[in-house]
Each structure stands twice: as C-alpha cells, then as structure tokens.
Amino acid sequence: MYAVVRRYEGVTDPAEAARRVGDGFVPLLRQVRGFVAYYWVDAGEGVMLSTSVYEDQAGADESVRRAADFVRDNLASLLPHPPQVTAGPVVAGG
C-alpha cells in the first residue's frame, strides 16, 4: 500500500472546506484505481490534514493530481497556501 499526507495551513473556513471536500473531492477519489481510504482532519488553528491510502503508488500519484486540480478549481479561496505533501509506501499499520 501507499499513502499520501497533505498538510494545509492558513485555512480560512475549515467547516466550508470540510463540506466541499466531503461533497466533491471524496467522490472523485473513490473513482481512483486502488483507492483504500481517505481522511480529512481539522487539526485546529487553520491547519487541516488529509491522509489517503491506495493499493499502489500509481493510485497515490493520481490522487495528488486530482487534489491539485480540485483545490485549484474549488478550494483556492479557502486554502490559500500550497500543501506540504508527503508520500511513501506503508510499512506498518493496524
């Protein structure tokens, strides 16, 4: 499995960002081949995190492309800074 974590800082409206992600982005990710799971986390103080898990790196790479497009088209006013993106193979889990 392969995971991608994105950290967004300076989120202007966390509740609206969560609504748009849940209503619009999550359905897009579910269509990505190898999709396993996705989580959107409000870490407080204008910080939000996403974690997505795929069966392989190809699915994770596709999710990164879709996330960039979705943020640009639907969340730019709420997520004013580019995310910090970390990705890699899952080496342990539960």
Side-chain angles (χ1 to χ4, degrees):
M1 287 198 296
Y2 206 86
V4 180
V5 177
R6 297 174 192 86
R7 178 185 171 96
Y8 297 90
E9 296 181 353
V11 179
T12 59
D13 186 342
E16 180 62 13
R19 186 190 69 74
R20 291 183 191 184
V21 166
D23 291 348
F25 186 58
V26 172
L28 291 176
L29 287 184
R30 288 188 177 132
Q31 297 172 6
V32 173
R33 184 174 172 203
F35 173 83
V36 174
Y38 180 84
Y39 304 98
W40 180 255
V41 177
D42 185 344
E45 298 184 19
V47 175
M48 300 194 90
L49 309 169
S50 71
T51 301
S52 53
V53 181
Y54 297 86
E55 291 177 1
D56 56 28
Q57 185 176 351
D61 291 346
E62 177 64 20
S63 80
V64 170
R65 286 188 290 278
R66 289 187 187 211
D69 291 345
F70 188 84
V71 168
R72 182 192 66 236
D73 296 342
N74 300 283
L75 293 171
S77 64
L78 302 174
L79 307 176
H81 307 292
Q84 299 170 359
V85 180
T86 305
V90 175
V91 296

Coordinates of all heavy atoms in Angstrom, one line a residue:
M1 N 0.8 -1.2 0.0 CA 0.0 0.0 0.0 C 0.9 1.2 0.0 O 2.1 1.2 0.4 CB -0.9 0.0 1.2 CG -2.0 -1.0 1.1 SD -3.4 -0.7 2.2 CE -2.7 -0.9 3.8
Y2 N 0.3 2.4 -0.4 CA 1.0 3.6 -0.5 C 0.1 4.7 0.1 O -1.1 4.7 -0.1 CB 1.3 3.9 -2.0 CG 2.5 4.7 -2.2 CD1 3.7 4.2 -2.3 CD2 2.3 6.1 -2.4 CE1 4.8 5.0 -2.6 CE2 3.4 6.9 -2.7 CZ 4.7 6.3 -2.8 OH 5.8 7.1 -3.0
A3 N 0.7 5.6 0.8 CA -0.1 6.7 1.5 C 0.4 8.1 1.1 O 1.6 8.3 0.8 CB -0.1 6.5 3.0
V4 N -0.5 9.0 1.1 CA -0.2 10.4 0.8 C -0.8 11.3 1.9 O -2.0 11.1 2.3 CB -0.8 10.9 -0.5 CG1 -0.4 12.4 -0.8 CG2 -0.3 10.1 -1.7
V5 N 0.0 12.1 2.5 CA -0.4 13.0 3.6 C -0.2 14.5 3.1 O 0.9 14.8 2.6 CB 0.3 12.8 4.9 CG1 -0.1 13.8 6.0 CG2 0.1 11.4 5.4
R6 N -1.3 15.3 3.2 CA -1.2 16.7 2.8 C -1.5 17.5 4.0 O -2.5 17.3 4.7 CB -2.2 17.0 1.6 CG -1.9 16.2 0.4 CD -3.1 16.5 -0.6 NE -3.0 15.6 -1.8 CZ -3.6 14.4 -1.8 NH1 -4.2 14.0 -0.8 NH2 -3.5 13.7 -2.9
R7 N -0.7 18.6 4.2 CA -0.9 19.5 5.3 C -1.2 20.9 4.7 O -0.4 21.4 4.0 CB 0.3 19.6 6.2 CG 0.2 20.5 7.4 CD 1.5 20.7 8.2 NE 1.4 21.7 9.1 CZ 1.1 21.6 10.4 NH1 0.8 20.4 10.9 NH2 1.1 22.7 11.2
Y8 N -2.4 21.4 5.0 CA -2.8 22.7 4.6 C -2.8 23.7 5.7 O -3.4 23.4 6.8 CB -4.2 22.7 4.0 CG -4.3 21.8 2.8 CD1 -4.7 20.4 2.9 CD2 -4.2 22.3 1.5 CE1 -4.8 19.6 1.8 CE2 -4.3 21.5 0.4 CZ -4.6 20.2 0.5 OH -4.8 19.4 -0.6
E9 N -2.1 24.8 5.6 CA -2.1 25.8 6.6 C -2.8 27.1 6.2 O -2.9 27.4 5.0 CB -0.6 26.1 7.0 CG 0.1 24.9 7.6 CD 1.6 25.2 8.0 OE1 2.1 26.3 7.6 OE2 2.2 24.3 8.6
G10 N -3.3 27.9 7.1 CA -4.0 29.1 6.8 C -5.3 28.9 6.2 O -5.8 29.8 5.5
V11 N -6.0 27.8 6.6 CA -7.3 27.5 6.1 C -8.3 28.6 6.6 O -8.4 28.8 7.8 CB -7.8 26.1 6.5 CG1 -9.2 25.9 6.0 CG2 -6.8 25.1 6.0
T12 N -9.0 29.3 5.7 CA -9.8 30.4 6.1 C -11.2 30.0 6.7 O -11.7 30.8 7.5 CB -10.0 31.4 4.9 OG1 -10.7 30.7 3.9 CG2 -8.7 31.9 4.4
D13 N -11.7 28.9 6.3 CA -13.0 28.4 6.8 C -13.0 26.9 6.8 O -13.4 26.3 5.8 CB -14.2 29.0 5.9 CG -15.5 28.7 6.4 OD1 -15.7 27.8 7.2 OD2 -16.5 29.3 5.9
P14 N -12.6 26.3 7.9 CA -12.4 24.9 8.0 C -13.7 24.1 7.8 O -13.7 23.1 7.1 CB -11.9 24.6 9.4 CG -11.2 25.9 9.7 CD -12.0 27.0 9.1
A15 N -14.8 24.6 8.3 CA -16.1 23.9 8.1 C -16.5 23.9 6.6 O -17.0 22.9 6.1 CB -17.2 24.6 8.9
E16 N -16.4 25.0 5.9 CA -16.7 25.0 4.5 C -15.7 24.1 3.7 O -16.2 23.4 2.8 CB -16.7 26.4 3.9 CG -17.1 26.6 2.5 CD -18.5 26.0 2.1 OE1 -19.3 25.8 3.0 OE2 -18.7 25.8 0.9
A17 N -14.5 24.2 4.0 CA -13.5 23.3 3.4 C -13.9 21.8 3.6 O -13.9 21.1 2.6 CB -12.1 23.6 3.9
A18 N -14.3 21.5 4.8 CA -14.7 20.1 5.0 C -15.9 19.7 4.2 O -16.0 18.6 3.7 CB -14.9 19.9 6.5
R19 N -16.9 20.6 4.1 CA -18.1 20.3 3.3 C -17.7 20.1 1.9 O -18.2 19.1 1.3 CB -19.1 21.5 3.5 CG -20.4 21.2 2.8 CD -21.3 22.4 2.7 NE -20.8 23.4 1.8 CZ -20.8 23.3 0.4 NH1 -21.3 22.2 -0.1 NH2 -20.3 24.3 -0.3
R20 N -16.9 21.0 1.3 CA -16.5 20.8 -0.1 C -15.7 19.6 -0.4 O -15.9 18.9 -1.4 CB -15.8 22.1 -0.6 CG -16.6 23.3 -0.6 CD -15.8 24.5 -1.2 NE -16.6 25.7 -0.9 CZ -16.1 26.9 -1.4 NH1 -15.0 27.0 -2.0 NH2 -16.8 28.0 -1.1
V21 N -14.8 19.3 0.6 CA -14.0 18.0 0.4 C -15.0 16.8 0.5 O -14.9 15.9 -0.4 CB -12.9 18.0 1.5 CG1 -12.3 16.6 1.5 CG2 -11.9 19.0 1.2
G22 N -15.8 16.8 1.5 CA -16.7 15.6 1.6 C -17.7 15.5 0.5 O -17.9 14.3 0.0
D23 N -18.3 16.6 0.0 CA -19.3 16.5 -1.1 C -18.7 16.4 -2.5 O -19.3 15.7 -3.3 CB -20.1 17.8 -1.1 CG -21.0 17.9 0.1 OD1 -21.2 16.9 0.9 OD2 -21.6 19.0 0.3
G24 N -17.5 16.9 -2.7 CA -16.9 17.0 -4.0 C -15.7 16.2 -4.3 O -15.5 15.5 -5.3
F25 N -14.8 16.2 -3.3 CA -13.5 15.6 -3.6 C -13.5 14.1 -3.2 O -12.9 13.3 -4.0 CB -12.4 16.3 -2.8 CG -11.0 15.8 -3.1 CD1 -10.5 15.8 -4.3 CD2 -10.2 15.3 -2.0 CE1 -9.2 15.3 -4.6 CE2 -8.9 14.8 -2.3 CZ -8.4 14.8 -3.6
V26 N -14.1 13.7 -2.1 CA -14.1 12.3 -1.7 C -14.7 11.4 -2.8 O -14.1 10.4 -3.2 CB -14.7 12.1 -0.4 CG1 -14.9 10.6 -0.1 CG2 -13.9 12.8 0.7
P27 N -15.8 11.8 -3.4 CA -16.3 11.0 -4.5 C -15.4 10.8 -5.7 O -15.3 9.8 -6.3 CB -17.6 11.8 -5.0 CG -18.0 12.5 -3.7 CD -16.7 12.9 -3.1
L28 N -14.6 11.9 -6.0 CA -13.6 11.8 -7.0 C -12.5 10.8 -6.7 O -12.0 10.0 -7.5 CB -12.9 13.1 -7.3 CG -13.8 14.2 -8.0 CD1 -13.0 15.5 -8.0 CD2 -14.2 13.8 -9.3
L29 N -12.1 10.8 -5.4 CA -11.0 9.9 -5.0 C -11.5 8.4 -5.0 O -10.7 7.5 -5.4 CB -10.5 10.2 -3.6 CG -9.7 11.4 -3.5 CD1 -9.2 11.6 -2.0 CD2 -8.5 11.4 -4.4
R30 N -12.7 8.2 -4.7 CA -13.3 6.8 -4.7 C -13.2 6.2 -6.1 O -13.2 5.0 -6.2 CB -14.7 6.8 -4.2 CG -14.7 7.0 -2.7 CD -16.1 6.8 -2.1 NE -16.1 7.0 -0.7 CZ -16.9 7.7 0.0 NH1 -17.9 8.4 -0.6 NH2 -16.8 7.8 1.3
Q31 N -13.1 7.0 -7.1 CA -13.0 6.5 -8.5 C -11.6 6.2 -8.9 O -11.4 5.5 -9.9 CB -13.5 7.6 -9.5 CG -15.0 7.9 -9.3 CD -15.4 9.1 -10.1 OE1 -14.7 9.6 -10.9 NE2 -16.7 9.5 -9.9
V32 N -10.6 6.6 -8.1 CA -9.2 6.3 -8.4 C -8.9 4.8 -8.2 O -9.3 4.2 -7.2 CB -8.2 7.1 -7.6 CG1 -6.8 6.7 -7.8 CG2 -8.4 8.6 -7.9
R33 N -8.3 4.2 -9.2 CA -8.0 2.8 -9.1 C -7.1 2.5 -7.9 O -6.1 3.2 -7.7 CB -7.3 2.3 -10.4 CG -7.0 0.8 -10.4 CD -6.5 0.4 -11.7 NE -6.1 -1.0 -11.6 CZ -5.2 -1.5 -12.4 NH1 -4.6 -0.8 -13.4 NH2 -4.8 -2.8 -12.3
G34 N -7.4 1.5 -7.1 CA -6.6 1.2 -5.9 C -6.9 2.0 -4.7 O -6.3 1.8 -3.7
F35 N -8.0 2.8 -4.7 CA -8.4 3.6 -3.5 C -8.7 2.7 -2.4 O -9.4 1.7 -2.5 CB -9.6 4.4 -3.9 CG -10.2 5.1 -2.7 CD1 -9.7 6.3 -2.2 CD2 -11.3 4.6 -2.0 CE1 -10.2 7.0 -1.1 CE2 -11.8 5.2 -0.9 CZ -11.3 6.4 -0.5
V36 N -8.2 3.0 -1.2 CA -8.4 2.2 0.0 C -9.2 3.1 1.1 O -10.2 2.7 1.6 CB -7.1 1.7 0.7 CG1 -7.4 1.0 2.0 CG2 -6.4 0.7 -0.3
A37 N -8.6 4.3 1.4 CA -9.2 5.1 2.4 C -8.8 6.6 2.2 O -7.8 6.9 1.7 CB -8.8 4.6 3.8
Y38 N -9.6 7.5 2.8 CA -9.3 8.9 2.8 C -9.9 9.5 4.1 O -11.0 9.2 4.5 CB -10.0 9.6 1.6 CG -9.7 11.1 1.6 CD1 -8.5 11.6 1.0 CD2 -10.6 12.0 2.1 CE1 -8.2 12.9 1.0 CE2 -10.3 13.4 2.1 CZ -9.1 13.8 1.5 OH -8.8 15.2 1.5
Y39 N -9.1 10.4 4.7 CA -9.5 11.1 5.9 C -9.1 12.6 5.8 O -8.0 12.9 5.3 CB -8.8 10.5 7.1 CG -9.0 9.0 7.3 CD1 -8.1 8.1 6.8 CD2 -10.2 8.6 7.8 CE1 -8.3 6.7 6.9 CE2 -10.5 7.2 7.9 CZ -9.5 6.3 7.4 OH -9.8 5.0 7.5
W40 N -10.0 13.5 6.2 CA -9.8 14.9 6.2 C -9.9 15.3 7.7 O -10.9 15.1 8.3 CB -10.8 15.6 5.4 CG -10.8 17.1 5.3 CD1 -11.6 18.0 5.9 CD2 -9.9 17.9 4.5 NE1 -11.2 19.3 5.6 CE2 -10.2 19.2 4.7 CE3 -8.8 17.5 3.7 CZ2 -9.5 20.3 4.1 CZ3 -8.1 18.6 3.1 CH2 -8.4 19.9 3.3
V41 N -8.8 15.9 8.2 CA -8.7 16.2 9.7 C -8.6 17.7 9.9 O -7.7 18.4 9.3 CB -7.5 15.5 10.2 CG1 -7.3 15.8 11.7 CG2 -7.6 14.0 10.0
D42 N -9.4 18.2 10.8 CA -9.2 19.6 11.3 C -8.3 19.6 12.5 O -8.7 19.1 13.6 CB -10.6 20.2 11.7 CG -10.5 21.6 12.0 OD1 -9.4 22.2 12.3 OD2 -11.6 22.3 12.1
A43 N -7.1 20.0 12.3 CA -6.1 20.0 13.3 C -6.1 21.3 14.2 O -5.3 21.4 15.1 CB -4.7 19.8 12.7
G44 N -7.0 22.2 13.9 CA -7.2 23.4 14.6 C -6.2 24.5 14.2 O -5.2 24.3 13.4
E45 N -6.5 25.7 14.5 CA -5.7 26.9 14.2 C -5.4 27.0 12.7 O -4.3 27.4 12.3 CB -4.4 26.9 15.1 CG -4.7 27.0 16.6 CD -3.5 27.0 17.4 OE1 -2.4 27.4 16.9 OE2 -3.6 26.7 18.6
G46 N -6.4 26.8 11.9 CA -6.3 26.9 10.5 C -5.4 25.9 9.8 O -5.0 26.1 8.6
V47 N -5.2 24.7 10.4 CA -4.5 23.7 9.8 C -5.4 22.5 9.6 O -6.1 22.1 10.5 CB -3.3 23.2 10.8 CG1 -2.6 22.0 10.2 CG2 -2.3 24.3 11.0
M48 N -5.4 22.0 8.4 CA -6.1 20.8 8.0 C -5.2 19.8 7.4 O -4.2 20.2 6.7 CB -7.3 21.1 7.1 CG -8.3 22.1 7.8 SD -9.9 22.3 7.1 CE -10.8 21.0 8.0
L49 N -5.4 18.5 7.6 CA -4.6 17.4 7.1 C -5.5 16.5 6.3 O -6.6 16.2 6.7 CB -3.9 16.7 8.2 CG -3.2 17.4 9.3 CD1 -2.8 16.6 10.4 CD2 -1.9 18.0 8.6
S50 N -4.9 15.9 5.3 CA -5.6 14.8 4.6 C -4.7 13.6 4.5 O -3.4 13.8 4.4 CB -6.1 15.2 3.2 OG -5.0 15.3 2.3
T51 N -5.2 12.4 4.7 CA -4.5 11.2 4.5 C -5.2 10.3 3.6 O -6.4 10.1 3.8 CB -4.3 10.5 5.9 OG1 -3.6 11.4 6.8 CG2 -3.5 9.2 5.7
S52 N -4.6 9.9 2.5 CA -5.2 8.9 1.6 C -4.3 7.7 1.4 O -3.1 7.8 1.5 CB -5.5 9.6 0.2 OG -4.4 10.2 -0.3
V53 N -5.0 6.6 1.2 CA -4.2 5.3 1.1 C -4.7 4.6 -0.1 O -5.9 4.6 -0.4 CB -4.5 4.4 2.4 CG1 -3.7 3.1 2.3 CG2 -4.1 5.2 3.7
Y54 N -3.8 4.1 -0.8 CA -4.0 3.4 -2.1 C -3.3 2.0 -2.1 O -2.3 1.9 -1.4 CB -3.6 4.2 -3.3 CG -4.4 5.5 -3.3 CD1 -4.0 6.6 -2.6 CD2 -5.6 5.5 -4.0 CE1 -4.8 7.7 -2.6 CE2 -6.4 6.7 -4.0 CZ -6.0 7.8 -3.3 OH -6.8 8.9 -3.2
E55 N -3.7 1.2 -3.0 CA -3.0 -0.1 -3.1 C -1.6 0.0 -3.7 O -0.8 -0.9 -3.4 CB -3.9 -1.1 -4.0 CG -5.2 -1.5 -3.3 CD -6.0 -2.3 -4.2 OE1 -5.6 -2.6 -5.4 OE2 -7.1 -2.7 -3.8
D56 N -1.4 1.0 -4.4 CA 0.0 1.2 -5.0 C 0.3 2.7 -5.3 O -0.6 3.5 -5.1 CB 0.1 0.4 -6.3 CG -1.0 0.7 -7.4 OD1 -1.5 1.9 -7.4 OD2 -1.3 -0.1 -8.2
Q57 N 1.5 2.9 -5.7 CA 1.9 4.3 -5.9 C 1.2 5.0 -7.1 O 1.0 6.2 -7.1 CB 3.4 4.3 -6.2 CG 4.0 5.8 -6.3 CD 5.5 5.8 -6.5 OE1 6.2 4.8 -6.3 NE2 5.9 7.0 -6.7
A58 N 0.8 4.2 -8.1 CA 0.1 4.8 -9.2 C -1.2 5.5 -8.8 O -1.5 6.6 -9.2 CB -0.2 3.7 -10.3
G59 N -2.0 4.8 -7.9 CA -3.2 5.4 -7.4 C -2.9 6.6 -6.5 O -3.6 7.7 -6.6
A60 N -1.9 6.6 -5.7 CA -1.5 7.7 -4.9 C -1.1 8.9 -5.8 O -1.5 10.1 -5.6 CB -0.3 7.4 -4.0
D61 N -0.3 8.6 -6.9 CA 0.1 9.7 -7.8 C -1.1 10.3 -8.4 O -1.2 11.5 -8.6 CB 1.1 9.2 -8.8 CG 2.4 8.8 -8.2 OD1 2.7 9.2 -7.1 OD2 3.2 8.1 -9.0
E62 N -2.1 9.5 -8.8 CA -3.3 10.0 -9.4 C -4.0 10.9 -8.4 O -4.6 12.0 -8.8 CB -4.2 8.9 -9.9 CG -5.5 9.4 -10.5 CD -5.4 10.2 -11.8 OE1 -4.3 10.2 -12.5 OE2 -6.3 10.9 -12.1
S63 N -4.1 10.5 -7.2 CA -4.8 11.3 -6.2 C -4.1 12.7 -6.0 O -4.8 13.7 -5.8 CB -4.8 10.6 -4.8 OG -3.6 10.7 -4.1
V64 N -2.8 12.8 -6.1 CA -2.1 14.0 -6.0 C -2.5 15.0 -7.1 O -2.8 16.1 -6.9 CB -0.6 13.8 -5.9 CG1 0.2 15.1 -6.1 CG2 -0.2 13.1 -4.7
R65 N -2.6 14.4 -8.3 CA -3.0 15.2 -9.5 C -4.5 15.7 -9.3 O -4.8 16.9 -9.5 CB -2.9 14.4 -10.8 CG -1.5 14.2 -11.2 CD -1.4 13.6 -12.6 NE -1.8 12.2 -12.6 CZ -1.0 11.2 -12.3 NH1 0.2 11.4 -11.9 NH2 -1.4 10.0 -12.3
R66 N -5.3 14.8 -8.9 CA -6.7 15.2 -8.7 C -6.9 16.2 -7.6 O -7.7 17.1 -7.6 CB -7.6 14.0 -8.4 CG -7.8 13.1 -9.6 CD -8.8 12.0 -9.4 NE -8.8 11.1 -10.5 CZ -9.8 10.4 -10.9 NH1 -11.0 10.5 -10.2 NH2 -9.8 9.6 -11.9
A67 N -6.1 16.1 -6.5 CA -6.2 17.0 -5.4 C -5.8 18.4 -5.9 O -6.4 19.4 -5.5 CB -5.3 16.6 -4.2
A68 N -4.7 18.5 -6.6 CA -4.2 19.8 -7.1 C -5.3 20.4 -8.0 O -5.6 21.6 -7.8 CB -2.9 19.6 -7.9
D69 N -5.9 19.7 -8.8 CA -7.0 20.2 -9.7 C -8.2 20.7 -8.9 O -8.7 21.7 -9.1 CB -7.4 19.2 -10.8 CG -6.3 18.9 -11.8 OD1 -5.4 19.7 -11.9 OD2 -6.5 17.9 -12.5
F70 N -8.6 19.8 -7.9 CA -9.8 20.1 -7.1 C -9.5 21.4 -6.3 O -10.4 22.2 -6.2 CB -10.2 18.9 -6.3 CG -11.5 19.1 -5.6 CD1 -12.7 18.8 -6.2 CD2 -11.6 19.7 -4.3 CE1 -13.9 19.0 -5.6 CE2 -12.8 19.9 -3.7 CZ -14.0 19.5 -4.4
V71 N -8.4 21.5 -5.7 CA -8.1 22.6 -4.8 C -8.1 23.9 -5.7 O -8.7 24.9 -5.4 CB -6.7 22.5 -4.1 CG1 -6.3 23.8 -3.5 CG2 -6.9 21.4 -3.0
R72 N -7.4 23.8 -6.8 CA -7.4 25.0 -7.7 C -8.8 25.4 -8.2 O -9.1 26.6 -8.1 CB -6.6 24.7 -9.0 CG -6.4 25.8 -10.0 CD -5.9 25.4 -11.3 NE -6.8 24.5 -12.0 CZ -6.5 23.3 -12.4 NH1 -5.3 22.8 -12.3 NH2 -7.4 22.6 -13.0
D73 N -9.7 24.5 -8.5 CA -11.0 24.8 -9.0 C -12.0 25.0 -8.0 O -13.0 25.7 -8.3 CB -11.5 23.6 -9.9 CG -10.6 23.4 -11.2 OD1 -9.8 24.4 -11.5 OD2 -10.6 22.4 -11.8
N74 N -11.9 24.5 -6.8 CA -13.0 24.5 -5.8 C -12.6 25.1 -4.4 O -13.5 25.4 -3.6 CB -13.6 23.1 -5.6 CG -14.1 22.6 -6.9 OD1 -15.2 23.0 -7.3 ND2 -13.3 21.7 -7.5
L75 N -11.3 25.1 -4.1 CA -10.9 25.4 -2.7 C -9.9 26.6 -2.6 O -9.4 26.8 -1.5 CB -10.4 24.2 -2.0 CG -11.4 23.1 -1.7 CD1 -10.6 21.8 -1.2 CD2 -12.4 23.5 -0.7
A76 N -9.5 27.2 -3.7 CA -8.4 28.1 -3.7 C -8.6 29.3 -2.7 O -7.7 29.7 -2.0 CB -8.2 28.7 -5.1
S77 N -9.9 29.7 -2.5 CA -10.1 30.8 -1.6 C -10.1 30.4 -0.1 O -9.8 31.2 0.7 CB -11.5 31.4 -1.9 OG -12.5 30.5 -1.6
L78 N -10.2 29.1 0.1 CA -10.2 28.6 1.5 C -8.9 28.0 1.9 O -8.6 27.9 3.1 CB -11.3 27.4 1.6 CG -12.7 27.8 1.3 CD1 -13.6 26.6 1.3 CD2 -13.2 28.9 2.2
L79 N -8.1 27.6 0.9 CA -6.8 27.0 1.2 C -5.7 27.9 0.4 O -5.3 27.5 -0.7 CB -6.7 25.6 0.7 CG -7.8 24.6 1.1 CD1 -7.6 23.2 0.5 CD2 -7.8 24.5 2.7
P80 N -5.4 29.0 1.0 CA -4.5 30.0 0.3 C -3.1 29.6 0.1 O -2.4 30.2 -0.7 CB -4.6 31.2 1.2 CG -4.9 30.7 2.6 CD -5.7 29.4 2.4
H81 N -2.6 28.6 0.8 CA -1.2 28.2 0.6 C -1.1 26.8 0.0 O -1.9 25.9 0.4 CB -0.5 28.2 2.0 CG -0.6 29.5 2.7 ND1 -0.1 30.6 2.3 CD2 -1.3 29.8 3.8 CE1 -0.4 31.6 3.1 NE2 -1.1 31.1 4.0
P82 N -0.1 26.5 -0.8 CA 0.1 25.1 -1.3 C 0.3 24.2 -0.1 O 0.9 24.5 0.9 CB 1.3 25.2 -2.1 CG 1.7 26.6 -2.3 CD 0.9 27.4 -1.2
P83 N -0.2 22.9 -0.3 CA 0.0 22.0 0.8 C 1.5 21.4 0.9 O 2.2 21.5 -0.1 CB -0.9 20.8 0.5 CG -1.0 20.9 -1.0 CD -0.9 22.3 -1.4
Q84 N 1.8 21.0 2.1 CA 3.0 20.2 2.2 C 2.6 18.8 1.9 O 1.7 18.2 2.6 CB 3.6 20.3 3.6 CG 4.0 21.7 4.0 CD 4.3 21.8 5.5 OE1 4.2 20.9 6.2 NE2 4.6 23.0 5.9
V85 N 3.2 18.1 0.9 CA 2.8 16.8 0.5 C 3.9 15.8 0.9 O 5.0 16.0 0.5 CB 2.5 16.7 -1.0 CG1 2.0 15.3 -1.4 CG2 1.4 17.7 -1.3
T86 N 3.5 14.7 1.6 CA 4.4 13.7 2.0 C 3.8 12.4 1.5 O 2.6 12.1 1.8 CB 4.7 13.6 3.5 OG1 5.1 14.9 3.9 CG2 5.7 12.6 3.8
A87 N 4.6 11.5 0.8 CA 4.0 10.3 0.3 C 5.1 9.2 0.5 O 6.3 9.4 0.4 CB 3.6 10.4 -1.1
G88 N 4.6 7.9 0.6 CA 5.5 6.8 0.6 C 4.8 5.5 0.9 O 3.6 5.5 1.1
P89 N 5.5 4.4 0.8 CA 4.9 3.1 1.0 C 4.5 2.9 2.5 O 5.3 3.4 3.4 CB 6.0 2.1 0.6 CG 7.3 2.9 0.5 CD 6.9 4.4 0.4
V90 N 3.4 2.3 2.7 CA 3.0 1.9 4.0 C 3.8 0.7 4.5 O 3.8 -0.3 3.8 CB 1.5 1.6 4.1 CG1 1.1 1.2 5.5 CG2 0.7 2.8 3.6
V91 N 4.5 0.9 5.6 CA 5.4 -0.2 6.1 C 4.9 -0.8 7.4 O 5.5 -1.9 7.8 CB 6.9 0.3 6.3 CG1 7.5 0.8 4.9 CG2 6.9 1.5 7.2
A92 N 3.9 -0.3 8.0 CA 3.3 -0.9 9.1 C 1.9 -0.3 9.3 O 1.6 0.8 8.8 CB 4.1 -0.6 10.4
G93 N 1.0 -1.0 9.9 CA -0.4 -0.5 10.1 C -1.2 -1.4 11.0 O -0.7 -2.5 11.3
G94 N -2.4 -0.9 11.2 CA -3.2 -1.7 12.1 C -4.7 -1.6 11.8 O -5.1 -0.9 11.0

